[in-house]
Amino acid sequence: MQRQKLLVNGERLKQELERFADFGRTDNNGVTRLALSHEDRLARDHFRACCEELGLSVKIDDMGCMYATLEGTENVPPIVIGSHIDSVKKGGRFDGILGVVAGLEIVRTLIENNVKPRIPITIVNITNEEGARFEPSMMASGVLSGKFAKEVMIKKTDTEGITFEEALKNIGYDGDSDNRLTDATAFLELHIEQGPVLEQEKLSVGVVECVLGMVCYDIEVNGLSNHAGTTPMPMRKDALFVATDLLAEAREKLSVLDDKLVYTMGRMNVSPNIHTVIPNKVVFSLEARHQDEKVIEEVEDIIQSLTRSEAITEGCSVKATKLWGRDTVWFDQSVVEQVEEATKSLGYSYKRMVSGAGHDAQFLQSYIPSAMVFVPSQNGQSHCEEEYTTWEECERGVNVLLETVMGMLAKV
Amino acid sequence: MQRQKLLVNGERLKQELERFADFGRTDNNGVTRLALSHEDRLARDHFRACCEELGLSVKIDDMGCMYATLEGTENVPPIVIGSHIDSVKKGGRFDGILGVVAGLEIVRTLIENNVKPRIPITIVNITNEEGARFEPSMMASGVLSGKFAKEVMIKKTDTEGITFEEALKNIGYDGDSDNRLTDATAFLELHIEQGPVLEQEKLSVGVVECVLGMVCYDIEVNGLSNHAGTTPMPMRKDALFVATDLLAEAREKLSVLDDKLVYTMGRMNVSPNIHTVIPNKVVFSLEARHQDEKVIEEVEDIIQSLTRSEAITEGCSVKATKLWGRDTVWFDQSVVEQVEEATKSLGYSYKRMVSGAGHDAQFLQSYIPSAMVFVPSQNGQSHCEEEYTTWEECERGVNVLLETVMGMLAKV
């Protein structure tokens, strides 16, 4: 027998997203809501008020994560739905908050349809996903999953020297470690894609299979500074000439490695960076992401080969330093399948895809069966005021989550 | 009949150079003596005391330039010898000051040899050649020669908001515009080469024929920022990829233009310069110097061609903005010949050469017959604490100036 499908209220979803955007809305209709800031506090207060109005119990853990639970009829670990309330500076109205508001909208829909869930439903706001004020990103999920040491994290400071610990106390969200998320039936995170793939392929939903593994290196070239006007070309040891040759060589080698590989030289610093002085030092970052460990290994071989390149002219030297790397995180196959089934049953266009960006779900997956759902980002843009996902696509994404939850509730 | 040659006192010259290096000497035996700083004032006071001890009259003009004159037996415009006392931050012990101390040593030698010159000899310290504290460089010589407006220059501020005018008053060197250098028989500036040519060719002296003409452009590439992890390679509008392609294209075209051309991309700024974000904007400087106007024109054609390059991928745009340019300044042929004759007669190895760097002499040449003498820079380095010229080479350079002066005095 087929269940009757519940659908969320798209208008209410939109209004709630816009309500949250008021906490830190910028002149250009973006959002600045740094972790543990005044704006974050106001948004948290609003989230708590919404949950309490729905009769949920709200708990706070020692990293400031918020858990609002709709009780279930059975004493089993909850289905957890959520994401993060914090944003980057001049970010958008969707990144993170969409996943939290999705949880609210799902619980609202369940309650108004008088569904008494078998499994408890917990909406979660995970503190400081962005790492924009306190590095690193995914801080609280890192602590919850044991990847980061709490004692180290709470001492992290913002640019004004305020520690995470102080800021958490200042906004009144320093809770109890007993409240931490320790067990769950599943974790579901709805998020904007932050890339152009769904839009380009005219698809509504991305069923995310994994978060890509990556490596990030600094390539440092050292040469010798001299006067730009007085040093004949053959006598130069120009670090920028070597660096740009190496960058081109890396691009050439990486471009033929694998179609799905992405690689970026996002940062380049030239010293002394004066138009009349030959550069003596250039450092540029090279990061690459791919789901297959072997491809990442080949990338690292290419990076090492740069240090022996023929482009390194006499008097210049090159070193490559690995800043970090992470393995691909595969989401729980069963949960991913349930998400895919829900998407299909709703008749939405979709594809299985990878996440190039990092998300809290990748840490939580280490101890909770997790999956993610993506909705399209206009022009692939995020972390900027222009960030936009149509209200219809937001609504479809939340419906996928609701339908996934309904499927889980229906199982015995 | 051949004149008997006078030679300067090398030991005294060395001691005086080291004495001046005490005013702002750094831990690594360099010098920080920014224009109109406390260190500059102390060095000026010492210079004045030295001159007064020799019986010279010292005058100060309204830009703070100092003129110390040994009277001549005839009422004719003086032979002016000098350079600048100011240095860059963490500069060397030779740049500028060598040309001023040369003047002192020449007058000392004349006096101790009882030479009463026919033509007055004026030692000059020209204010703020470096432009390290108050931009632009060659400020005072620019005002003296009418290239720069005094009213604009004296309002220039340092990083602390102090104006040139205030700083000049603060050190007590605000003199009278009546004292400006308005006429001279010749201006002779001894300077370190600031390049590697003399050292590489094992020559003692450079007889400088001209200061190279140059152009400086900013090349700006605009693309689109997006997330480094989520944007497939074919969908990117990476400003850094285009910028480095254009830089390579410029290098290739410029490298075959002319052997004597020098070109430098000394400054490159990447935005937003974050390793996880595809760059949306890159600006780099491209400056080139050559004595021949036609070659500089070809350089400008190449720079313009970059804005139409095939390397500009879809969604990226490029513009080239000329920041400034200057024509080659040829020194006075007769004075250059007299310097060459003096060098030959002393038996020093030398070559005629160009100056890639700018110097006060290039402005003064517009109304005073001028020439410059270079001495070798170890490893071509300058504007750094390692800057070094052997004492012997310094001595030879001053001897060339003295012999040039003696030749001028001998003429009728």
Side-chain angles (χ1 to χ4, degrees):
Chain A
M1 190 191 81
Q2 211 176 349
R3 280 181 294 106
Q4 198 192 339
K5 282 210 166 34
L6 278 186
L7 293 174
V8 300
N9 182 333
E11 183 56 28
R12 183 170 58 195
L13 176 72
K14 172 184 169 180
Q15 280 173 16
E16 197 62 78
L17 282 167
E18 285 289 28
R19 179 74 192 93
F20 272 98
D22 285 338
F23 305 114
R25 197 186 296 268
T26 62
D27 290 345
N28 298 314
N29 206 20
V31 167
T32 296
R33 194 166 54 228
L34 299 177
L36 313 187
S37 63
H38 177 64
E39 292 75 20
D40 186 17
R41 177 196 196 144
L42 294 178
R44 285 164 172 263
D45 290 350
H46 175 68
F47 173 60
R48 170 148 60 183
C50 289
C51 293
E52 288 175 346
E53 200 180 312
L54 291 168
L56 312 188
S57 72
V58 179
K59 291 179 175 175
I60 316 293
D61 74 14
D62 55 327
M63 290 298 290
C65 298
M66 303 172 69
Y67 308 92
T69 301
L70 174 69
E71 290 307 318
T73 57
E74 295 177 14
N75 185 19
V76 290
I79 298 168
V80 181
I81 303 167
S83 189
H84 58 96
I85 284 180
D86 73 316
S87 83
V88 297
K89 195 176 163 186
K90 293 195 179 179
R93 291 169 290 160
F94 301 88
D95 186 337
I97 192 65
L98 174 61
V100 176
V101 173
L104 264 182
E105 179 54 33
I106 285 167
V107 169
R108 282 174 173 152
T109 303
L110 292 176
I111 290 175
E112 76 183 357
N113 285 280
N114 226 1
V115 176
K116 302 223 182 299
R118 182 174 69 82
I119 307 169
I121 311 286
T122 296
I123 316 169
V124 65
N125 164 36
I126 305 171
T127 302
N128 192 24
E129 194 269 349
E130 296 292 1
R133 182 180 174 195
F134 301 98
E135 290 186 12
S137 57
M138 306 182 283
M139 184 190 277
S141 59
V143 170
L144 292 179
S145 61
K147 308 281 180 191
F148 299 153
K150 177 189 164 185
E151 311 74 54
V152 178
M153 291 300 124
I154 61 175
K155 298 299 179 196
K156 297 280 183 177
T157 53
D158 66 8
T159 53
E160 290 179 2
I162 300 170
T163 65
F164 178 90
E165 188 173 27
E166 290 163 347
L168 190 59
K169 283 211 173 99
N170 287 345
I171 65 161
Y173 277 87
D174 50 326
D176 194 326
S177 62
D178 288 347
N179 293 330
R180 286 189 187 185
L181 177 66
T182 52
D183 194 11
T185 295
F187 174 62
L188 298 170
E189 183 170 8
L190 173 65
H191 206 279
I192 56 169
E193 180 198 341
Q194 302 184 261
V197 175
L198 291 174
E199 184 187 55
Q200 290 265 339
E201 301 186 15
K202 299 195 198 315
L203 301 173
S204 289
V205 173
V207 177
V208 185
E209 295 184 281
C210 66
V211 176
L212 293 185
M214 65 180 285
V215 282
C216 188
Y217 277 76
D218 261 352
I219 318 288
E220 178 178 329
V221 182
N222 283 283
L224 188 66
S225 272
N226 252 319
H227 194 294
T230 60
T231 314
M233 300 312 291
M235 297 186 191
R236 297 183 174 210
K237 290 150 189 176
D238 189 322
L240 183 62
F241 284 3
V242 173
T244 51
D245 282 345
L246 293 181
L247 194 151
E249 185 177 326
R251 278 171 66 193
E252 200 183 323
K253 290 179 173 175
L254 293 170
S255 69
V256 295
L257 210 53
D258 189 283
D259 277 356
K260 286 181 180 155
L261 181 71
V262 288
Y263 46 92
T264 308
M265 293 73 159
R267 174 170 40 74
M268 179 179 272
N269 291 314
V270 177
S271 301
N273 213 31
I274 299 170
H275 65 90
T276 54
V277 181
I278 298 162
N280 66 345
K281 184 176 169 181
V282 176
V283 183
F284 66 91
S285 63
L286 197 172
E287 69 126 273
R289 309 190 195 204
H290 194 278
Q291 64 203 70
D292 185 347
E293 213 172 292
K294 291 228 174 73
V295 175
I296 293 293
E297 278 168 20
E298 288 182 80
V299 169
E300 297 198 71
D301 289 344
I302 287 171
I303 291 170
Q304 289 305 333
S305 78
L306 296 180
T307 66
R308 304 179 299 267
S309 167
E310 285 181 10
I312 305 169
T313 48
E314 201 196 315
C316 290
S317 64
V318 175
K319 64 177 177 186
T321 307
K322 187 171 182 169
L323 301 183
W324 66 83
R326 70 171 188 227
D327 291 337
T328 295
V329 174
W330 293 93
F331 287 125
D332 184 87
Q333 232 178 325
S334 159
V335 181
V336 171
E337 272 166 24
Q338 290 174 74
V339 169
E340 184 172 20
E341 282 311 307
T343 310
K344 270 189 198 166
S345 76
L346 288 161
Y348 298 154
S349 60
Y350 81 98
K351 73 181 286 186
R352 281 193 175 225
M353 64 188 298
V354 301
S355 173
H359 295 286
D360 286 322
Q362 83 196 55
F363 281 157
L364 298 185
Q365 163 64 25
S366 68
Y367 71 107
I368 295 174
S370 303
M372 290 189 74
V373 175
F374 278 170
V375 285
S377 291
Q378 196 168 80
N379 298 318
Q381 286 185 286
S382 67
H383 283 193
C384 59
E385 293 168 312
E386 295 77 24
E387 176 183 297
Y388 186 64
T389 298
T390 67
W391 305 112
E392 291 75 12
E393 302 290 16
C394 289
E395 185 182 343
R396 288 195 188 107
V398 184
N399 276 330
V400 168
L401 245 59
L402 174 58
E403 181 58 22
T404 306
V405 170
M406 293 304 285
M408 289 175 175
L409 294 178
K411 277 190 191 159
V412 186
Chain B
M1 190 191 84
Q2 212 178 348
R3 283 181 292 104
Q4 200 194 334
K5 282 207 167 34
L6 277 186
L7 293 174
V8 301
N9 182 332
E11 183 55 31
R12 183 170 58 196
L13 176 72
K14 172 185 170 179
Q15 279 173 16
E16 196 63 77
L17 282 166
E18 286 289 28
R19 180 74 192 91
F20 272 97
D22 285 337
F23 305 114
R25 196 187 298 266
T26 63
D27 290 344
N28 298 315
N29 207 18
V31 167
T32 296
R33 194 166 53 227
L34 299 177
L36 313 187
S37 65
H38 177 64
E39 292 75 19
D40 186 17
R41 179 199 195 142
L42 294 178
R44 285 164 172 263
D45 289 350
H46 174 68
F47 173 60
R48 173 150 58 183
C50 289
C51 292
E52 289 175 345
E53 200 180 312
L54 291 168
L56 312 188
S57 72
V58 180
K59 291 179 174 174
I60 317 292
D61 75 16
D62 54 328
M63 290 299 289
C65 298
M66 303 171 70
Y67 308 93
T69 301
L70 174 69
E71 290 308 315
T73 57
E74 294 178 15
N75 185 20
V76 291
I79 298 168
V80 180
I81 303 167
S83 189
H84 58 96
I85 284 180
D86 72 316
S87 84
V88 298
K89 194 177 162 186
K90 293 195 181 181
R93 292 168 290 161
F94 301 88
D95 187 337
I97 192 65
L98 173 61
V100 176
V101 173
L104 264 182
E105 179 54 33
I106 286 168
V107 170
R108 282 173 174 153
T109 303
L110 292 176
I111 290 174
E112 74 183 359
N113 285 279
N114 226 358
V115 177
K116 303 216 181 302
R118 181 175 67 84
I119 307 170
I121 311 286
T122 295
I123 315 169
V124 65
N125 164 35
I126 305 171
T127 303
N128 192 25
E129 194 269 349
E130 296 292 1
R133 181 179 174 195
F134 301 98
E135 291 188 11
S137 56
M138 305 182 284
M139 184 190 277
S141 59
V143 169
L144 292 180
S145 61
K147 309 281 180 192
F148 299 152
K150 177 189 165 186
E151 311 73 54
V152 178
M153 292 300 125
I154 61 175
K155 298 299 179 197
K156 297 282 184 177
T157 53
D158 66 9
T159 53
E160 291 179 1
I162 301 170
T163 65
F164 178 92
E165 188 174 27
E166 289 163 348
L168 190 58
K169 282 211 175 96
N170 287 346
I171 65 161
Y173 277 87
D174 51 327
D176 194 326
S177 62
D178 287 349
N179 292 331
R180 287 189 187 184
L181 177 65
T182 52
D183 194 10
T185 295
F187 174 63
L188 298 171
E189 183 170 8
L190 172 65
H191 206 279
I192 57 169
E193 181 197 341
Q194 301 184 263
V197 175
L198 291 175
E199 183 186 56
Q200 290 264 340
E201 301 187 13
K202 300 193 197 314
L203 300 173
S204 290
V205 172
V207 176
V208 185
E209 294 183 281
C210 67
V211 175
L212 292 186
M214 65 180 284
V215 282
C216 187
Y217 277 74
D218 261 354
I219 317 288
E220 178 177 328
V221 182
N222 283 283
L224 188 66
S225 272
N226 252 320
H227 194 293
T230 61
T231 314
M233 300 312 292
M235 298 185 191
R236 297 184 174 211
K237 290 150 189 175
D238 189 322
L240 183 61
F241 283 4
V242 173
T244 50
D245 282 345
L246 293 182
L247 194 151
E249 185 176 328
R251 277 171 66 194
E252 200 182 324
K253 289 179 173 176
L254 293 170
S255 69
V256 294
L257 209 54
D258 188 283
D259 278 356
K260 286 182 180 157
L261 181 71
V262 289
Y263 46 91
T264 307
M265 294 72 159
R267 173 171 40 75
M268 177 178 273
N269 291 314
V270 177
S271 301
N273 212 31
I274 299 171
H275 65 90
T276 54
V277 180
I278 298 163
N280 67 346
K281 184 175 169 183
V282 176
V283 183
F284 66 90
S285 63
L286 197 173
E287 68 126 273
R289 309 190 194 204
H290 195 277
Q291 65 203 70
D292 185 347
E293 213 172 292
K294 289 226 173 75
V295 175
I296 293 294
E297 278 167 20
E298 288 182 81
V299 169
E300 297 198 71
D301 289 344
I302 288 171
I303 290 170
Q304 289 305 332
S305 78
L306 296 180
T307 65
R308 305 177 299 270
S309 167
E310 286 181 10
I312 305 169
T313 48
E314 201 195 316
C316 290
S317 63
V318 175
K319 66 177 177 185
T321 308
K322 186 169 181 170
L323 300 182
W324 67 82
R326 70 171 189 228
D327 292 336
T328 295
V329 174
W330 293 94
F331 287 124
D332 184 87
Q333 233 180 324
S334 158
V335 181
V336 172
E337 271 167 23
Q338 291 174 72
V339 169
E340 185 172 20
E341 281 310 306
T343 310
K344 270 189 200 168
S345 76
L346 288 161
Y348 297 154
S349 59
Y350 81 97
K351 74 181 286 187
R352 282 194 173 224
M353 65 187 298
V354 302
S355 172
H359 295 286
D360 287 321
Q362 83 196 58
F363 281 157
L364 298 185
Q365 164 63 25
S366 68
Y367 72 106
I368 295 173
S370 303
M372 290 190 75
V373 175
F374 279 170
V375 285
S377 290
Q378 196 168 81
N379 298 319
Q381 288 186 285
S382 66
H383 283 193
C384 60
E385 294 167 313
E386 295 77 24
E387 175 183 297
Y388 185 65
T389 298
T390 67
W391 305 112
E392 290 76 12
E393 301 291 16
C394 289
E395 185 182 343
R396 288 195 188 107
V398 183
N399 275 329
V400 169
L401 245 59
L402 173 58
E403 181 58 22
T404 306
V405 169
M406 293 304 285
M408 290 175 173
L409 295 177
K411 276 191 192 158
V412 188

